[in-house]
Amino acid sequence: MAQIDDLPPLRDVIARHELSALKSLGQNFLLDLNLTARIARAGGPLADTLIVEVGPGPGGLTRALLAEGAGKVVAIERDRRCLAALAEIAAHYPGRLEVIEGDALEVDIGRIVAEQGGGKQARLVANLPYNVATPLLVGWLRAEPWPAWWASATLMFQREVAERIVATPDDDHYGRLGVLAGWRTEARILFDLAPSAFTPPPKVTSSVVRLIPRETPLAVDPDVLERVVAAAFGQRRKMLRQSLKGLGIDPATLLAAAGIEPTRRAEEIDVAGFVRLANALVAGKTKAP
């Protein structure tokens, strides 16, 4: 395994700091620096760019991002045990790594980027902790205002989650994530990582996904869109004239306003169709006495 910098091998770092991956934090350490370098390069041009990394752990991907030329990395880490290892990386790359101790679900990343990005968007590059990967992504997809604080997101998920993110109508994986990701981004799977690449090995294959924000996504209230999507896929095998009954408006009226046949099922409706349904729901509620 080629060294990407003059720092000690990650296995030595983990042993010296007595680190072990915690299942409760969704941790699986990626120790192969060749693989972390590949993920870093997939993040796009890094020079003079602010990178946001979530869940750096002992810093394998952090080191790769810095070695590949990232202007600055802001790494958000919840696990205090990893801070000493990350501090060693910060000392090796003076002024280019800032470590923020905290829960990424609660940290105002948009504010940090506004303060440190010089008016530019950041790039998200992260091996996300599996147990919070989906809520993190949903939050980033719903960011306001849009275009958001991130210019691209190169993120690692469990393969099943990755397939849901890039899914389109008539795909068995198509659902809430596919609609939200398709609404505001163009998403694709770049490559897979085998369980053997991690310590400890997870039970599933992992995938790196790249998401590029759409500058002008279709206009819709995100809360209403999620309500419609949740209702439709909550009973995905039923026709929409049945599954949408819980929205508080006659499904036939709603579907007619959106130009969708009542016998269609959720898995057959594209993003534009769900947006029309959400906007029709708002219009219908507004007109209701």
Side-chain angles (χ1 to χ4, degrees):
M1 183 190 309
Q3 280 294 102
I4 61 173
D5 54 32
D6 296 328
L7 289 166
L10 275 175
R11 289 189 185 278
D12 294 351
V13 173
I14 288 172
R16 180 158 44 85
H17 291 282
E18 299 181 344
L19 298 176
S20 59
L22 295 180
K23 187 176 182 180
S24 61
L25 295 180
Q27 293 174 330
N28 295 89
F29 296 153
L30 182 59
L31 304 186
D32 187 332
L33 294 178
N34 293 321
L35 290 177
T36 60
R38 185 182 182 190
I39 296 171
R41 289 192 294 269
L46 302 179
D48 300 321
T49 300
L50 177 63
I51 305 296
V52 174
E53 181 188 7
V54 171
L61 179 56
T62 314
R63 287 168 58 173
L65 289 165
L66 292 165
E68 291 289 332
K72 183 173 183 179
V73 176
V74 173
I76 302 169
E77 179 54 65
R78 179 182 175 185
D79 187 355
R80 301 194 70 178
R81 302 174 309 145
C82 297
L83 299 183
L86 294 169
E88 293 174 0
I89 302 173
H92 190 76
Y93 293 96
R96 295 176 58 200
L97 172 60
E98 178 178 348
V99 180
I100 296 176
E101 181 187 355
D103 187 336
L105 289 169
E106 300 174 358
V107 173
D108 187 349
I109 303 178
R111 177 186 59 80
I112 294 170
V113 172
E115 292 174 352
Q116 302 194 28
K120 298 180 181 179
Q121 294 171 298
R123 293 183 184 273
L124 262 168
V125 186
N127 299 336
L128 294 177
Y130 287 151
N131 61 344
V132 293
T134 296
L136 282 171
L137 176 62
V138 169
W140 296 331
L141 290 172
R142 289 179 49 119
E144 296 292 349
W146 195 270
W149 52 265
W150 50 281
S152 67
T154 305
L155 307 168
M156 187 174 67
F157 300 89
Q158 295 182 38
R159 175 73 191 189
E160 180 183 357
V161 176
E163 290 175 335
R164 286 160 49 199
I165 293 168
V166 303
T168 54
D170 294 320
D171 184 325
D172 288 342
H173 298 283
Y174 187 54
R176 176 196 183 207
L177 276 183
V179 173
L180 288 178
W183 166 48
R184 276 193 157 171
T185 73
E186 295 181 8
R188 66 187 182 97
I189 295 175
L190 299 182
F191 53 86
D192 294 335
L193 290 87
S196 59
F198 299 86
T199 299
K203 296 181 180 179
V204 296
T205 296
S206 300
S207 300
V208 174
V209 178
R210 183 167 172 80
L211 301 100
I212 304 296
R214 300 182 189 276
E215 289 191 11
T216 54
L218 297 171
V220 67
D221 183 322
D223 290 331
V224 180
L225 179 63
E226 285 222 64
R227 280 188 59 207
V228 171
V229 170
F233 284 101
Q235 303 179 74
R236 64 183 298 146
R237 299 305 176 191
K238 291 189 176 182
M239 297 178 185
L240 291 173
R241 65 188 181 192
Q242 294 294 326
S243 61
L244 298 182
K245 284 185 175 180
L247 292 176
I249 190 172
D250 176 39
T253 301
L254 181 64
L255 289 160
I260 296 174
E261 296 177 4
T263 55
R264 302 285 293 277
R265 292 176 171 80
E267 61 196 27
E268 301 175 300
I269 307 303
D270 62 11
V271 172
F274 279 111
V275 168
R276 293 198 306 273
L277 281 168
N279 288 333
L281 177 61
V282 172
K285 292 281 189 178
T286 303
K287 294 176 183 178

